[in-house]
Amino acid sequence: MRFRSKSIRRKIMALLLVPLVALTSIWAFATVITGREADQLLDAAAVMGELGEPVQETVLALQAERRHTLVHIADPRRSDSLTALHDGQRATDEAVAALRARAEGEEVRGELDGDARRRLDDLLAALGRLDRVRARVADNTVERQDAYDAYNALVDPCHAFLTGMRGVDDVRLEREGRALIGLSRAREYLSREDALLAAAFTAGRMTGEQLRAVSDRVAERELTYRTHLPMLPAEDRERYQRFWSGTDGRALRAAEDEIIGAGAAGAVKAFDAERWQKTSGTVLEELRHMDRETGERYHRRVEPEAASVLLRAAVAGILGFAAVVVSVAVSLRIGRGLVRDLGALRREAGEAAGVRLPGVMRRLAAGEQVDVETEAPRLEYGRDEIGQVGQALNTLQRAAVEAAVRQADMRRGVSEVFVNLARRSQVLLHRQLTLLDAMERRTEDPEELADLFRLDHLTTRMRRHAEGLVILSGATPSRQWRKPIPLMDVVRAAVSEVEDYERIEVRRLPPLAVDGAAIADLTHLIAELLENATVFSPPHTAVQVLGERVPSGFALEIHDRGLGMSPDALLEANLRLSETPDFRLSDTDRLGLFVVSRLGRRQNVRVSLQPSPYGGTTAVVLVPGALLTEFAAAPRNAVAAGEEADAAEHRAGDHARTAAGLPLRGARPA
């Protein structure tokens, strides 16, 4: 939501609405959470009543049918086992039919979340495969272990559905509910053990693998009880502990120890089928009654908890609504006062920030003198917090104006210092170059002439650095030409202003001349780029300068063979060259780029840096066609001679490169 164009009244209303909305949201959230908790508790009780009992009955029926099936497979000739199997199948069909009738009801499915509905569908789909298992048993085409695994695969989805049913937010009740599922799983492990042993006693033999399966089921049952019994209330936990420490529990464990201790070969002899059925049947039946009673007590604990949660939700809703009403009344009263006081402060601050201060900044940028007392007068405000804010804004405005005035004065002073120092240095350097020129013309000794040229070269470089100060200050260098000069001589003059000029190789350039007004700036620009190329490349490598005509003018390329620049550094340098930012004293490490950018902008020359094919960096200087003219023949070294060259200067030009290898010195102003 945007409030920039809104009134203060609306902003205050929005400001006050934030805590009100937050308070209302918290109130609604608390009410919904507590109500949802109660609803979940009631839904859990309802779903467990509708589906929990049928699922448990289905599990019991499948357990019984599994036992009868394994016994029948162990000895198909016994008629009593076949009768028991048919009776078990009918009981299972009745339990499955009752479960399907409950599960297909829309009211029950609507109370289940998506994951619980998916688990219920998986359970029903698994039960649909029961007929195929029975058909294989009837055809006597299934092994005992395969039938055992098939019935286990039908029971497991039942427990998975009960485990995945939507829990309650109460941690204690949620833990107890999961413990009930754990107790049912423990009974399932005992039922699997019973089915395996009953089949083994019927067959009269037991393999080592079957004995290990029995031992594993015993271990799983003990581990499950140890894990889930501590989660139950003390009363229920003690009932299970008393049972397992009682006669029936000890008898079962003693029988298991006797069977397992006898080994696979002696297991069926150590215990008979009748004794085992009596021992295990008693324990299974007692555990079924205990599990049912424990579940009923759990359901009775859930319903009162839901009622107390609903009561808390009602109390929280009423108190929260009262708090919201009081907050609205207080907020409206405070908001009207704030709107009145802030209106005046807003108008004053808007005038200062939107009118007076921008006007001062524009006048300072234009070089005008500004009086702080006139532009930022001292204002009086009240003594409250809003008045203190107004006083602080007034103080801040005066400080901003004073700082801007001081900064403008400092910039002008620094620029004047740059210009004065540079102008003085240029005058002295010009005199020094004139004196060196005269000395070069008089001497005939090659060694002395070479030394004079070296000194001339150093002076030319000093002149370029002095011009850099003038450029940084925003002024124009004093060197000017009236007539065009060959482009080749401009490049040679730039080369002579570089320290490592001997490493620079200049390819032949086309016969073009540079307009007189752009000679000084273009020479300085090329010299700065050449200086960078020599500094940032190994001393034993050469820097190549070449160029060619392009539709928009002339493209001059400077290649070095250094380490190059990273993509980020290259992007930053090109942005600096193209945008020409204002010079700051903190940019001393980028003076060359700033000078090149300022000169390029003044002459409409575009400069860009690119990765070099030699592994370094290539500087591309695009000189516009407006600065270039054609020429048929130009006097040699015209840049060095200037537009007033005479015969003596041409003779001096004949020594432009001596035996020592010194290049032509920098161009002189006319």
Side-chain angles (χ1 to χ4, degrees):
M1 185 179 295
R2 301 174 63 90
F3 294 100
R4 294 182 180 179
S5 60
K6 305 298 182 182
S7 64
I8 293 179
R9 183 183 300 277
R10 293 185 179 181
K11 292 180 180 179
I12 294 297
M13 291 177 61
L15 180 64
L16 296 176
L17 279 176
V18 172
L20 290 177
V21 171
L23 179 61
T24 305
S25 300
I26 294 174
W27 165 65
F29 179 75
T31 304
V32 170
I33 288 296
T34 52
R36 184 170 62 86
E37 181 181 357
D39 183 64
Q40 285 182 347
L41 289 171
L42 295 176
D43 287 348
V47 171
M48 186 60 71
E50 290 291 332
L51 293 179
E53 187 66 23
V55 171
Q56 292 288 0
E57 293 297 331
T58 301
V59 169
L60 294 175
L62 288 172
Q63 290 172 347
E65 182 178 342
R66 176 177 55 197
R67 189 181 195 279
H68 296 318
T69 300
L70 295 185
V71 170
H72 174 71
I73 294 176
D75 188 3
R77 295 169 298 178
R78 294 178 53 179
S79 59
D80 57 340
S81 64
L82 182 59
T83 302
L85 175 59
H86 291 163
D87 293 340
Q89 290 176 350
R90 283 193 295 270
T92 303
D93 292 339
E94 293 175 359
V96 171
L99 174 60
R100 289 186 181 276
R102 296 286 184 89
E104 292 174 356
E106 292 298 329
E107 182 178 357
V108 173
R109 296 183 67 89
E111 294 177 350
L112 297 174
D113 57 17
D115 187 63
R117 284 195 295 270
R118 181 181 60 80
R119 292 177 184 271
L120 179 60
D121 294 336
D122 293 341
L123 168 59
L124 297 177
L127 294 176
R129 296 190 293 270
L130 181 59
D131 291 338
R132 283 182 288 177
V133 177
R134 291 174 175 175
R136 295 181 62 189
V137 172
D139 296 339
N140 198 21
T141 59
V142 62
E143 296 292 335
R144 190 196 311 173
Q145 183 63 37
D146 294 337
Y148 172 76
D149 294 336
Y151 276 97
N152 293 346
L154 297 177
V155 175
D156 287 339
C158 298
H159 290 119
F161 168 72
L162 295 175
T163 303
M165 287 179 58
R166 183 172 58 190
V168 296
D169 291 337
D170 187 276
V171 178
R172 178 179 58 84
L173 293 176
E174 174 69 13
R175 185 172 61 249
E176 293 177 6
R178 295 192 178 277
L180 292 177
I181 308 302
L183 296 179
S184 178
R185 285 185 180 275
R187 189 183 181 280
E188 163 65 11
Y189 294 139
L190 178 57
S191 176
R192 293 182 183 183
E193 174 192 353
D194 173 54
L196 290 173
L197 288 175
F201 289 137
T202 301
R205 62 183 181 278
M206 177 181 290
T207 64
E209 183 179 357
Q210 292 171 349
L211 184 61
R212 284 194 298 272
V214 171
S215 177
D216 291 343
R217 301 296 84 77
V218 173
E220 289 174 346
R221 184 194 71 214
E222 295 296 332
L223 178 61
T224 304
Y225 274 121
R226 284 198 300 270
T227 302
H228 292 91
L229 282 180
M231 301 180 184
L232 294 175
E235 178 184 358
D236 294 332
R237 183 171 62 252
E238 291 173 357
R239 292 181 71 246
Y240 280 94
Q241 291 173 348
R242 286 195 302 269
F243 170 77
W244 284 109
S245 61
T247 303
D248 294 336
R250 290 200 306 270
L252 176 67
R253 287 172 173 168
E256 292 171 341
D257 294 340
E258 184 176 352
I259 293 172
I260 295 174
V268 296
K269 298 178 181 179
F271 223 79
D272 57 33
E274 185 177 354
R275 288 176 58 195
W276 171 253
Q277 183 175 0
K278 181 179 179 181
T279 303
S280 62
T282 302
V283 174
L284 286 171
E285 184 65 21
E286 185 64 25
L287 288 177
R288 185 176 67 84
H289 288 298
M290 293 173 61
D291 291 349
R292 185 184 299 275
E293 293 174 358
T294 303
E296 292 175 353
R297 283 191 294 272
Y298 170 74
H299 296 155
R300 288 195 295 269
R301 288 193 297 272
V302 168
E303 294 179 358
E305 182 66 21
S308 64
V309 171
L310 285 175
L311 179 60
R312 291 197 301 270
V315 172
I318 295 173
L319 294 179
F321 180 75
V324 170
V325 172
V326 173
S327 299
V328 170
V330 174
S331 299
L332 290 177
R333 183 174 180 180
I334 295 175
R336 282 195 292 266
L338 288 175
V339 169
R340 183 178 58 254
D341 295 338
L342 288 177
L345 182 60
R346 174 181 175 275
R347 289 190 295 271
E348 179 62 31
E351 182 181 356
V355 179
R356 288 201 296 267
L357 190 57
V360 170
M361 301 304 292
R362 286 194 298 269
R363 291 169 58 190
L364 289 174
E368 299 181 13
Q369 296 294 330
V370 173
D371 181 41
V372 177
E373 293 297 333
T374 302
E375 300 299 335
R378 301 181 184 273
L379 303 177
E380 297 295 333
Y381 293 93
R383 296 181 178 273
D384 58 356
E385 287 80 0
I386 295 179
Q388 293 173 5
V389 172
Q391 189 64 41
L393 288 174
N394 184 247
T395 303
L396 181 62
Q397 178 190 359
R398 288 180 58 84
V401 173
E402 291 174 354
V405 171
R406 287 195 298 268
Q407 186 177 11
D409 293 339
M410 183 182 68
R411 286 200 301 266
R412 284 195 295 268
V414 172
S415 298
E416 291 175 359
V417 169
F418 283 174
V419 173
N420 289 335
L421 291 176
R423 297 298 188 196
R424 293 180 182 181
S425 298
Q426 282 185 317
V427 172
L428 296 177
L429 292 173
H430 181 67
R431 293 179 181 178
Q432 185 173 340
L433 285 172
T434 303
L435 179 59
L436 288 172
D437 184 61
M439 295 173 67
E440 291 168 2
R441 298 175 190 279
R442 291 197 304 267
T443 185
E444 297 293 340
D445 187 356
E447 294 183 358
E448 291 183 2
L449 184 59
D451 291 339
L452 289 175
F453 270 117
R454 291 190 182 95
L455 184 59
D456 191 316
H457 172 64
L458 293 175
T459 306
T460 302
R461 290 173 55 208
M462 293 173 62
R463 180 183 60 188
R464 176 168 63 85
H465 294 318
E467 283 185 354
L469 294 177
V470 176
I471 295 170
L472 292 178
S473 65
T476 304
S478 59
R479 290 194 295 169
Q480 298 292 333
W481 279 263
R482 292 190 298 273
K483 295 181 180 180
I485 297 297
L487 177 61
M488 185 66 180
D489 288 345
V490 172
V491 175
R492 294 177 65 202
V495 171
S496 69
E497 296 185 2
V498 178
E499 180 178 3
D500 291 339
Y501 57 87
E502 296 177 347
R503 294 169 47 201
I504 301 176
E505 299 177 359
V506 182
R507 302 288 178 87
R508 181 174 298 277
L509 302 179
L512 294 175
V514 181
D515 186 66
I519 292 175
D521 290 344
L522 187 59
T523 302
H524 195 144
L525 184 149
I526 297 174
E528 291 288 349
L529 296 176
L530 291 173
E531 186 79 41
N532 285 342
T534 56
V535 169
F536 295 103
S537 61
H540 63 277
T541 61
V543 176
Q544 295 183 348
V545 181
L546 51 93
E548 62 179 348
R549 297 187 183 185
V550 294
S552 58
F554 185 82
L556 186 69
E557 298 182 2
I558 300 173
H559 299 277
D560 69 63
R561 302 190 181 184
L563 297 178
M565 302 173 66
S566 64
D568 293 339
L570 199 64
L571 177 61
E572 181 183 357
N574 282 320
L575 289 176
R576 185 179 294 271
L577 289 172
S578 62
E579 294 177 356
T580 315
D582 294 334
F583 174 69
R584 294 176 295 181
L585 295 178
S586 60
D587 292 337
T588 54
D589 59 335
R590 302 295 179 90
L591 290 179
L593 290 179
F594 180 84
V595 171
V596 170
S597 177
R598 181 66 64 88
L599 292 174
R601 181 180 181 183
R602 188 155 58 198
Q603 298 298 339
N604 198 24
V605 175
R606 287 186 293 172
V607 180
S608 63
L609 302 179
Q610 303 172 0
S612 172
Y614 303 105
T617 303
T618 297
V620 180
V621 182
L622 183 59
V623 183
L627 302 182
L628 303 174
T629 58
E630 298 282 349
F631 73 100
R636 288 183 305 164
N637 307 325
V639 173
E643 61 183 50
E644 300 294 334
D646 54 15
E649 288 175 320
H650 283 295
R651 286 192 300 272
D654 293 335
H655 302 283
R657 184 173 292 276
T658 64
L662 287 174
L664 177 69
R665 66 172 182 271
R668 301 275 188 83

